[in-house]
RNA sequence: CGGAGCGUGGCGCAGCCUGGUAGCGCACUUGUCUGGGGGACAAGGGGUCGUAGGUUCAAAUCCUAUCGCUCCGACCA
């Protein structure tokens, strides 16, 4: 992509409404624009990141055996009356009336829809277990949206729903999603730690929040430092099998958010030098909630003995739009964002320091062609800005690698490669930078 | 919903108290010089001052209402 033809309205100063750093940087980098309180347009740069995160979530759900479908944003109130939640849900639910005066709502979650679909589509225990997921925009009319996309009213969420015949089988489904989440967040360069969670209004008896540690996190969290060292399940993990052991490895050590924190237990179970007290951001939440919806909505199958059995269900959410903010909170410096390759809007920024200089232009054109030809995503700054402005912009938007080409270096057939994260700069030949960048990008695309 | 604050050009702000031709910095356009970490000079373009009423010869400024946004609290992926 040539920057001179792209749409990336950057701001030098952060708009005053942005309080936290991820919100400021997303506005400054031209990733989002606010449309109403807690509702955002995703500009091209931000949308590219959102789609990459979505794609990682999708790949890991597929790997774990979940099946994607797409459910509507607008739901019928009738379904919610059936589950008994229509009146319980309160003002967070955006209620809408159509021209026939029928009650509709903008879905804050999809348990009702999925339960009804699944109930009508399946009759026998032979068709279990199944896990269905969808990636869709949700709306919760938060009293006070804040922190940009971290706590918007409209948000993109992956939610998966497992259906099993028994509680034991359902726990296997839970462990499978648990393991999938470990991989999902690790691939985005995040250390996400599962922590025991309150099951809240959804109900049930097994629930974990996945918390990303970040200095600017919204809540205080406590855990054993060993949890930071455990390897996530490898790509070739057999997700058909029993992953209980993987899960137990993670839930063995102490980890809790402030709501669930028990200071006495923390001190008793975790040696002083292993205690981590940090800030955290919730990026995923999984529940095993049993038969709450299947009973209310009549989702049953016939078992081997011919008797009807209520389905055991679990639900598994990932805040995809929120993750964009969380990744920035976890990765930035004074100059701007620092993207991991796996979710970066472009993988490489190519800076032409002297647009109009024949030799410099042609070296840039050559590098651009060779990198894009190798499947690398390059944002080529071919604008007629001054060097300083270009460096600042590139640092702000946080592409992992910067290739800097100027007339001085070109004379000696040299260009510069800068690593955004370390700030390290190396001078090398045209050919050298091309092979080096291709190699580094390909190696870092998939982190685990 | 309780408390606090803010709406003036794309972004950041001054002007309001004490009514009198709408300003500053950045960004933008054109030109010249420049050119490796947000450059200099010159000339320009862009704003029904959130909206609606009212007071007044005259309203960004005073009064009333209303809408929007932000922060603190209760709530939350």
């Amino acid at each position: 992509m040539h920057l001179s033809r792209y749409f990336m309205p950057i701001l030098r100063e952060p708009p005053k409404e942005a309080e936290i750093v991820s919100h400021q940087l997303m506005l400054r980098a031209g990733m989002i624009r606010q449309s109403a309180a807690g509702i955002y347009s995703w500009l091209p740069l931000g949308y590219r990141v959102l789609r990459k995160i979505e794609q990682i979530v999708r790949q890991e759900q597929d790997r774990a055996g979940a099946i994607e479908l797409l459910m509507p944003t607008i739901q019928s109130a009738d379904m919610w009356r059936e589950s008994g939640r229509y009146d319980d849900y309160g003002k967070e639910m955006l209620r809408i009336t159509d021209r026939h005066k029928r009650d509709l709502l903008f879905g804050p979650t999809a348990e009702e829809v999925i339960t009804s679909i699944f109930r009508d589509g399946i009759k026998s225990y032979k068709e279990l277990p199944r896990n269905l997921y969808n990636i869709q925009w949700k709306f919760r009319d938060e009293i006070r949206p804040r922190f940009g996309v971290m706590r918007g009213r409209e948000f993109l969420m992956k939610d998966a729903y497992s259906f099993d015949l028994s509680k034991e089988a359902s726990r296997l489904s839970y462990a499978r999603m648990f393991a999938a989440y470990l991989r999902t967040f690790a691939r985005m360069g995040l250390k996400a730690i599962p922590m025991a969670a309150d099951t809240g209004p959804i109900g049930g008896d097994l629930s974990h929040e996945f918390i990303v540690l970040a200095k600017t996190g919204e809540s205080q969290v406590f855990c054993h430092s060993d949890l930071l060292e455990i390897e996530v399940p490898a790509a070739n993990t057999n997700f058909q099998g029993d992953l209980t052991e993987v899960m137990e490895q993670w839930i063995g050590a102490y980890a809790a958010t402030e709501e669930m924190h028990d200071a006495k237990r923390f001190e008793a179970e975790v040696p002083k030098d292993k205690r981590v007290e940090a800030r955290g951001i919730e990026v995923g939440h999984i529940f095993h909630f049993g038969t709450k919806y299947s009973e209310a909505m009549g989702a049953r199958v016939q078992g081997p003995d011919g008797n009807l059995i209520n389905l055991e269900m679990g639900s598994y959410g990932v805040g995809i739009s929120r993750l964009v903010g969380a990744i920035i909170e976890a990765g930035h410096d004074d100059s701007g964002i620092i993207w991991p390759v796996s979710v970066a809007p472009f993988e490489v920024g190519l800076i032409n320091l002297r647009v109009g200089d024949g030799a410099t232009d042609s070296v840039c054109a050559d590098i651009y062609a060779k990198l894009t030809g190798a499947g690398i995503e390059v944002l080529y700054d071919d604008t007629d800005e001054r060097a300083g402005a270009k460096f600042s912009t590139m640092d702000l938007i946080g592409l992992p690698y910067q290739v800097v080409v100027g007339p001085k270096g070109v004379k000696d057939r040299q260009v510069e490669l800068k690593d955004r994260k370390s700030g390290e700069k190396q001078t090398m030949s045209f050919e050298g930078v091309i092979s080096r960048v291709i190699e580094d990008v390909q190696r870092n695309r998939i982190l685990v």
Side-chain angles (χ1 to χ4, degrees), chain A residues 271-295:
Chain A
K272 208 164 203 163
D273 59 329
K274 297 276 192 180
R275 286 177 205 156
V276 176
E277 295 187 29
R279 305 297 293 176
I281 301 165
E282 181 183 349
V283 290
H285 200 159
I286 60 180
F287 298 88
H288 167 226
F289 54 66
T291 57
K292 178 178 163 114
Y293 299 98
S294 54
E295 270 179 46

Side-chain angles (χ1 to χ4, degrees), chain A residues 374-415:
Chain A
I376 307 291
E377 297 170 352
V378 184
L379 181 63
Y380 173 26
D381 186 347
D382 59 339
T383 62
D384 190 26
E385 284 294 324
R386 296 180 65 84
K390 292 190 174 203
F391 291 135
S392 298
T393 298
M394 211 47 97
D395 284 350
L396 171 65
I397 67 173
L399 307 186
Y401 301 101
Q402 298 174 10
V403 176
V404 181
V405 182
K408 289 177 192 166
V410 164
K411 259 189 293 188
D412 307 320
R413 300 190 57 77
Q414 298 286 302
V415 298

Side-chain angles (χ1 to χ4, degrees), chain A residues 56 184-192 327 330 340 342-343 421 447:
Chain A
I56 290 174
T184 300
F185 299 125
R187 282 187 57 186
M188 298 168 195
L190 297 171
K191 286 253 184 231
I327 292 167
S342 59
V343 299
K421 186 171 183 172
L447 297 171

Side-chain angles (χ1 to χ4, degrees), chain A residues 109-136:
Chain A
T109 177
E111 277 88 5
E112 280 76 4
V113 180
I114 194 73
T115 306
S116 125
I117 290 172
F118 200 71
R119 162 188 77 189
D120 296 344
I122 204 162
K123 293 297 166 204
S124 162
Y125 75 96
K126 292 176 186 168
E127 296 166 279
L128 296 178
R130 289 292 185 274
N131 184 321
L132 301 179
Y133 75 98
N134 99 130
I135 295 174
Q136 180 62 288

Side-chain angles (χ1 to χ4, degrees), chain A residues 11-12 21 25 28-29 331-338 391-399 402 418 420 423:
Chain A
L11 300 173
R12 203 156 155 177
V21 67
L25 289 172
R28 287 190 55 208
H332 66 270
D333 61 18
D334 291 344
S335 307
I337 302 168
I338 303 172
F391 291 135
S392 298
T393 298
M394 211 47 97
D395 284 350
L396 171 65
I397 67 173
L399 307 186
Q402 298 174 10
K418 175 178 162 182
R420 173 65 180 88

Side-chain angles (χ1 to χ4, degrees), chain A residues 29 61 69 73 77 93 99 102 110 132 199 248 274 298 314 341 374:
Chain A
Q61 290 293 291
L69 51 68
T73 53
M93 185 152 78
R99 62 166 67 192
R102 283 189 284 249
L132 301 179
T199 51
E248 278 170 357
K274 297 276 192 180
V341 173

